[in-house]
Amino acid sequence: MFKDSQDQRGILSKGKERSKRLYFYVSSGIFFCLVLAVIGFCYFVLNSDVLKVKQLSLNDTKLVSKDRVLAAIISNKINSDWRAWVGPENILFWLGDNQSILADRMLPALANISLTVDLWQRKVSVKAKERSFDGVWCDFNERCFAFDDEGVVFSLAPQASGNLILKIKDENNKQMNLGQNILPHEFWFKNMMITLAILKDANFLPADISINDYALKEWVVRSYIGPTFYFSFNFVPDDLAVVLKNLASRLNFSKITYFDFRVLNRVFYK
């Protein structure tokens, strides 16, 4: 009886060892197959013609060459995670967001870049929207830049004169770089442009626009017909168009030195 118990234990022990060996072989086989599958997939992604880009198109741009646009996109995407492995020849490279290209100000002359990727036809379409020219901003050293309707400078510009081109002279000691806003706050620029549009509609074409010390939060417009206008960056004067019309009906603007709109709901003149 004692011998039978030993035999049973021996059989059970051998059975467990066979089970362990079988589990090891099966697990190793599955792992080996998975490794082969991953290697095969990576090889397919990196080398298969099925994922090669067939057509890459880009619309015409005047301020930036096509080569610079593509180089900026490729450089930006290569710096992000896995794309450096597949390369721009692979259709998968072009998938994903491209907004960081603008955030990095790599191409300040462009307002927007959009990518359209057709995986089935393996086509990539790049559309670059250039910034519009809205005026010239000049610093205290008479160095001038072109800016767009968002107040972003995007290229150097020559000195401008006359009423056909909006020119803003900034008296602050400010170092300007391409891609920056001409004013410290975006709502300052918005308020200024709205106010200028109202002045133009009222036939007060600006001969000169200047920005005083930022701490004062004010700006000045000298018009061609005589008076100087003082405004605050903090707000657009309420009913400015109506106020100008009423003043024109009562005053001879050629004899007025200035209008001061720097106080909310108040206008002073001399």
Side-chain angles (χ1 to χ4, degrees):
M1 184 174 181
F2 179 74
K3 184 177 179 181
D4 292 341
S5 298
Q6 286 183 332
D7 291 341
Q8 288 178 357
R9 285 197 295 269
I11 293 172
L12 290 174
S13 177
K14 290 179 180 179
K16 289 181 179 180
E17 290 180 0
R18 283 196 297 268
S19 296
K20 288 181 179 179
R21 285 197 299 270
L22 180 60
Y23 176 78
F24 173 77
Y25 291 143
V26 171
S27 299
S28 299
I30 293 174
F31 177 77
F32 182 72
C33 290
L34 288 175
V35 171
L36 287 179
V38 171
I39 293 174
F41 176 77
C42 291
Y43 181 84
F44 174 79
V45 169
L46 296 176
N47 298 282
S48 175
D49 290 337
V50 175
L51 295 176
K52 297 294 183 182
V53 175
K54 271 188 174 182
Q55 180 180 324
L56 176 60
S57 60
L58 173 64
N59 63 302
D60 292 329
T61 51
K62 297 179 180 179
L63 301 176
V64 184
S65 68
K66 292 183 179 181
D67 289 341
R68 284 190 60 197
V69 175
L70 291 176
I73 298 174
I74 291 172
S75 175
N76 181 267
K77 287 185 173 293
I78 282 180
N79 292 331
S80 61
D81 49 72
W82 51 270
R83 289 184 175 85
W85 292 93
V86 298
E89 298 83 8
N90 194 299
I91 194 68
L92 299 179
F93 177 89
W94 299 93
L95 298 177
D97 188 24
N98 61 297
Q99 294 303 313
S100 57
I101 297 172
L102 299 181
D104 293 337
R105 299 300 183 188
M106 296 175 67
L107 299 171
L110 299 184
N112 179 265
I113 297 176
S114 61
L115 301 180
T116 302
V117 180
D118 188 329
L119 286 173
W120 296 110
Q121 298 188 29
R122 287 177 284 160
K123 295 181 179 180
V124 179
S125 176
V126 181
K127 291 186 178 180
K129 179 183 178 182
E130 296 181 295
R131 294 190 181 276
S132 60
F133 175 78
D134 265 45
V136 174
W137 177 93
C138 299
D139 64 15
F140 65 102
N141 287 323
E142 297 297 329
R143 195 169 67 131
C144 299
F145 298 83
F147 66 85
D148 71 346
D149 57 355
E150 295 180 346
V152 177
V153 297
F154 58 90
S155 70
L156 293 172
Q159 286 283 348
S161 60
N163 62 358
L164 296 179
I165 297 178
L166 178 64
K167 180 181 177 181
I168 300 174
K169 177 66 182 297
D170 197 331
E171 303 295 342
N172 294 271
N173 186 0
K174 178 181 180 179
Q175 181 67 36
M176 181 64 73
N177 297 311
L178 298 182
Q180 284 185 324
N181 290 82
I182 63 174
L183 293 172
H185 307 287
E186 290 184 11
F187 78 93
W188 281 16
F189 179 78
K190 181 179 179 180
N191 288 343
M192 181 172 66
M193 298 307 290
I194 292 174
T195 302
L196 286 173
I198 296 173
L199 288 178
K200 290 180 180 179
D201 288 341
N203 294 321
F204 289 101
L205 298 178
D208 180 63
I209 302 171
S210 60
I211 300 172
N212 297 327
D213 190 337
Y214 289 149
L216 300 176
K217 301 178 181 180
E218 64 182 36
W219 56 290
V220 183
V221 178
R222 295 174 181 84
S223 66
Y224 277 103
I225 64 173
T228 297
F229 294 84
Y230 294 89
F231 296 102
S232 170
F233 277 121
N234 289 329
F235 58 88
V236 176
D238 290 338
D239 299 320
L240 179 57
V242 177
V243 171
L244 291 174
K245 185 177 180 179
N246 291 338
L247 291 173
S249 66
R250 297 187 293 108
L251 302 173
N252 184 353
F253 281 176
S254 63
K255 296 182 179 180
I256 301 298
T257 304
Y258 68 82
F259 288 100
D260 190 341
F261 289 91
R262 289 174 291 184
V263 178
L264 188 61
N265 296 324
R266 293 287 187 274
V267 55
F268 305 93
Y269 60 89
K270 177 181 178 182

